[in-house]
Amino acid sequence: MKSKVLVAYFSASGVTARAAREIAAATGGELFEIAPALPYSRADLDWTDKNSRSSVEMNDEGCRPAMKSAAPDISGFDRIFIGFPIWWYVEPRIVDTFLERVDLKGKEVVAFATSGGSGIAGAERRMKAFCPAAKWQKGKLVNRGAGEWAASLER
């Protein structure tokens, strides 16, 4: 039996959005964008500026940026893919906002990320700590081949 899939993602530049669309197409999943209430500007994303919005957020473990839309009702989904770019070796704080607003207990959850050089392991550890009752599957850095990878999980 094929799983009912939700592909929730945050994308600052469009790279993760492209991977999310590939995963949704490969799995028949529904897309949900974890969009910030206040979009990030180019200056906000300047990781070399310690005073940029993204730098300030990532230096504050308790930061939870507001989402543009309420989190979806995930009760009807079996598998939840959660995607994001790697920021400071982990998931962006807005993904933490999402994780705190959904009940992943008993859900199969798979993280996917995009990155220019960092791995996904640190993000997976943090996310599992937020939602220990979820059934976490091994995630993947998907700079290319996201759809093929996701489809292989259905087999």
Side-chain angles (χ1 to χ4, degrees):
M1 184 170 132
K2 192 168 179 165
S3 302
K4 182 147 177 47
V5 175
L6 175 68
V7 182
Y9 69 95
F10 165 68
S11 186
S13 67
V15 175
T16 306
R18 184 173 48 250
R21 287 190 298 270
E22 289 178 22
I23 291 169
T27 63
E30 292 181 32
L31 285 169
F32 175 77
E33 183 180 5
I34 304 169
L38 176 64
Y40 290 92
S41 69
R42 177 178 232 109
D44 290 338
L45 298 171
D46 183 359
W47 59 272
T48 65
D49 176 0
K50 67 179 180 177
N51 294 312
S52 73
R53 179 175 159 202
S54 59
S55 295
V56 169
E57 288 177 0
M58 294 307 291
N59 282 319
D60 178 358
E61 283 284 332
C63 180
R64 298 296 180 267
M67 291 174 30
K68 181 178 180 179
S69 304
D73 175 6
I74 64 166
S75 61
F77 294 97
D78 306 304
R79 177 179 287 159
I80 316 293
F81 284 90
I82 302 175
F84 47 89
I86 299 290
W87 285 8
W88 289 260
Y89 306 102
V90 296
E91 75 283 1
R93 300 292 185 237
I94 193 160
V95 173
D96 298 341
T97 302
F98 174 79
L99 292 173
E100 290 179 352
R101 285 176 170 66
V102 294
D103 182 6
L104 294 173
K105 183 178 182 183
K107 301 289 183 185
E108 183 179 339
V109 182
V110 186
F112 67 96
T114 56
S115 173
S118 301
I120 193 172
E124 285 184 299
R125 275 191 302 278
R126 280 183 43 85
M127 294 168 70
K128 288 176 184 177
F130 276 112
C131 307
K135 298 176 188 172
W136 288 93
Q137 304 302 316
K138 178 85 174 109
K140 185 170 175 80
L141 198 62
V142 292
N143 291 331
R144 58 184 75 72
E148 294 167 10
W149 164 71
S152 75
L153 300 177
E154 291 291 316
R155 296 184 192 120

